[in-house]
Amino acid sequence: MTVTTPSSAVPAPPIPGRWTGGASLVLGPLLLLTGVLLRLRFDFFFPAQLSAYEHHPDLMTASYSFVSAGWVLLWPGVMLLAARIGERFRDLAVWGGALTVLGLFARAFHAGMDHLGFQLVAVQGAASATRTVSETYGAFHIFSTLNAAIMGGWLLLAIGAYRSRVLGPLRAAALALASAMPLGVLKGTTPLSVAAATGLCLALVPLGVAVLRDGPTPRAATVAGRLLVLVAVGTAMFLFGQAG
């Protein structure tokens, strides 16, 4: 294991940067936990998830949208955490960060399949969609090779965060709980899901807040200008996506 001497200062890396990385660490886990809790009352397996969408389409759309957005938004925070770990344990940072980000890619793929399943319900009904999903559930896809990365990446990050003292023992253990989040297509919520999402919140949200506070505070006009640009770009991207 490569160990490097930590510097006295802890500057945010150029990518993702202080604000993007800090916001990711705060928003990603909170969105994930919100989405997980929204579908808590429905059974875990895909027939019940498809049936729930047929009867509660808005609720299930919100739940799966929050979860998928939470996973995707976590990548800058993962990069920032890996950079902090890498100041002392470079190998743990590289492997933990890389595997975790690859796992987020796989989660995004699963989210696309979830969306397709729900659209089958909208067009064909839950019974027909359930048959289709059941008959194709075991079909090979390249992202299935990343299942180990989905689980193992968080464990390596937790070990690295503890050994590098980025996180204390309790928060590092909470981060490791993320590896228990069920994976795959059309998976609902279990007690492990709640524990994993809660663990991410306990581990990463305080770190994100600390990152956002660690540095000069920009002027109000600068913040307002950046928010205006963010809203404008986000709106344009949404409209472009809906058009295509």
Side-chain angles (χ1 to χ4, degrees):
M1 192 72 65
T2 303
V3 180
T4 59
T5 303
S7 59
S8 57
V10 189
I15 298 176
R18 169 189 166 201
W19 291 101
T20 304
S24 166
L25 292 168
V26 173
L27 293 177
L30 293 176
L31 288 173
L32 182 63
L33 179 60
T34 301
V36 163
L37 293 176
L38 283 176
R39 60 185 186 226
L40 179 62
R41 59 185 166 126
F42 304 114
D43 187 68
F44 170 72
F45 292 104
F46 72 86
Q49 296 294 299
L50 294 171
S51 177
Y53 181 82
E54 185 174 49
H55 294 93
H56 308 280
D58 294 336
L59 175 64
M60 295 300 284
T61 297
S63 170
Y64 276 78
S65 295
F66 279 130
V67 168
S68 57
W71 286 126
V72 170
L73 287 178
L74 271 171
W75 76 264
V78 169
M79 290 183 64
L80 183 60
L81 176 59
R84 294 284 178 91
I85 295 169
E87 293 173 12
R88 296 194 65 189
F89 298 98
R90 187 168 298 160
D91 290 347
L92 275 174
V94 170
W95 284 102
L99 289 176
T100 303
V101 171
L102 287 173
L104 296 180
F105 288 155
R107 295 280 191 186
F109 172 82
H110 295 156
M113 298 303 294
D114 296 339
H115 178 74
L116 175 60
F118 290 147
Q119 300 319 299
L120 290 176
V121 173
V123 174
Q124 303 175 0
S128 177
T130 300
R131 286 195 301 271
T132 301
V133 173
S134 178
E135 292 171 0
T136 60
Y137 203 86
F140 171 78
H141 57 81
I142 191 63
F143 284 98
S144 63
T145 61
L146 298 179
N147 286 347
I150 293 176
M151 297 180 292
W154 291 111
L155 291 174
L156 288 178
L157 278 183
I159 294 170
Y162 171 69
R163 294 193 63 191
S164 61
R165 299 182 183 178
V166 175
L167 298 178
L170 293 180
R171 286 173 59 200
L175 182 63
L177 283 175
S179 64
M181 180 71 77
L183 56 90
V185 176
L186 291 169
K187 292 298 195 298
T189 295
T190 68
L192 281 177
S193 309
V194 178
T198 302
L200 278 174
C201 289
L202 294 175
L204 299 184
V205 172
L207 178 61
V209 172
V211 169
L212 292 173
R213 289 178 175 175
D214 184 20
T217 302
R219 295 179 301 173
T222 302
V223 173
R226 290 177 178 175
L227 288 176
L228 182 61
V229 171
L230 182 62
V231 170
V233 171
T235 302
M237 291 175 66
F238 173 80
L239 295 175
F240 181 78
Q242 293 301 301

